[in-house]
Amino acid sequence: MLKGKFITLEGVDGAGKSTHIPFIAKLIRSRGVELVLTREPGGTAVGEQLRDLLLREHMSPETETLVMFAARCEHLKQVICPALERGCWVLSDRFTDASFAYQHGGRGVSQQKIEILEQWVQEGLQPDLTLLFDVPVDVCRARLNESRDPDRFERENQTFFERVRHAYLQRARDFPPRIRVIDANRPLDEIHKELEEIILSI
Ligand code: TYD
């Protein structure tokens, strides 16, 4: 029996997820809830090494998908499930919706193959809430261009990111009310107000 809540954050690179994480974490902790903040790919020693490989080395879309799920398997066993069992809340910067968006939507790996890995690794576990930060791709690209050293995903072209965004929005249509789309192309205080309402409601 899992006692904590599992919240995941998603969005195309450059949608501003990272800007909102400290606000969300502070909001949850301000209610006296113990929170584990983590990320994918990564979150464990093995997962962080796999992240380095994923962000740097060229590999086939299938290998990329399997390595994402290898990192996720370790993350679930070492971090996410033990925390939820203790009654902590877990806030993960990305989770399996990213595999459907990037590896299926972006790279074209079949949805069915990803569903098989999802079932194998998660055994039915799903986030209680997923916040999908949505911004038009050209706005995301402009933000990324201002940033340092792009990784292997960030170097992809506009049409790749259009496919990723489309796949994320399709997931949101397929999985209401778990996935909430946040229009992240608005002033920060408006976004914060909406995040506050959603988080307090769970
Ligand atoms: P990201 O959260 O963007 O890291 P940062 O903000 O530090 O750049 O995650 C790294 C990349 O990993 C991102 O481009 C999306 C990709 N990714 C997938 O392709 N599939 C997945 O299942 C996950 C978790 C991430």
Side-chain angles (χ1 to χ4, degrees):
M1 179 64 189
L2 300 175
K3 291 178 282 177
K5 298 256 185 221
F6 182 25
I7 302 176
T8 61
L9 307 177
E10 299 285 355
V12 166
D13 293 82
K17 233 174 356 89
S18 322
T19 315
H20 304 295
I21 292 172
F23 176 80
I24 299 170
K26 198 169 160 204
L27 190 65
I28 295 171
R29 286 177 174 140
S30 74
R31 314 297 285 190
V33 173
E34 200 183 322
L35 180 73
V36 172
L37 197 53
T38 186
R39 70 168 178 183
E40 288 204 355
T44 64
V46 166
E48 290 295 326
Q49 293 207 33
L50 295 175
R51 178 189 177 92
D52 271 357
L53 278 176
L54 285 160
L55 298 191
R56 270 176 230 220
E57 300 294 333
H58 176 78
M59 60 186 84
S60 76
E62 285 73 19
T63 306
E64 184 178 286
T65 306
L66 290 164
V67 178
M68 287 289 176
F69 273 93
R72 182 162 298 134
C73 188
E74 200 59 17
H75 195 206
L76 280 160
K77 287 183 197 299
Q78 280 195 33
V79 177
I80 299 175
C81 293
L84 295 175
E85 280 158 15
R86 285 199 309 275
C88 295
W89 285 32
V90 174
L91 182 61
S92 184
D93 181 353
R94 297 192 190 280
F95 191 62
T96 301
D97 293 302
S99 299
F100 283 100
Y102 283 80
Q103 280 65 55
H104 168 61
R107 307 269 194 233
V109 174
S110 87
Q111 192 162 316
Q112 199 195 1
K113 284 182 180 162
I114 300 178
E115 283 167 355
I116 291 168
L117 294 174
E118 177 187 37
Q119 180 51 38
W120 183 24
V121 166
Q122 290 166 228
E123 297 175 334
L125 177 74
Q126 289 293 342
D128 294 288
L129 171 70
T130 297
L131 300 169
L132 170 54
F133 293 92
D134 183 56
V135 173
V137 168
D138 48 352
V139 177
C140 296
R141 305 303 294 154
R143 287 180 186 166
L144 283 184
N145 286 341
E146 291 164 15
S147 77
R148 45 19 337 152
D149 217 20
D151 63 42
R152 196 166 64 83
F153 291 94
E154 292 166 345
R155 285 197 300 270
E156 289 292 342
N157 61 24
Q158 172 106 6
T159 56
F160 175 87
F161 286 106
E162 294 287 0
R163 292 197 301 276
V164 172
R165 182 184 185 210
H166 178 81
Y168 264 137
L169 292 173
Q170 186 58 50
R171 298 278 299 161
R173 284 190 290 274
D174 291 344
F175 296 97
R178 172 175 69 82
I179 305 182
R180 296 284 304 256
V181 181
I182 311 289
D183 172 1
N185 198 19
R186 288 180 299 164
L188 207 57
D189 56 335
E190 277 182 37
I191 300 173
H192 283 181
K193 199 158 163 278
E194 188 178 359
L195 290 174
E196 198 163 347
E197 280 168 18
I198 297 172
I199 303 281
L200 296 186
S201 76
I202 67 156

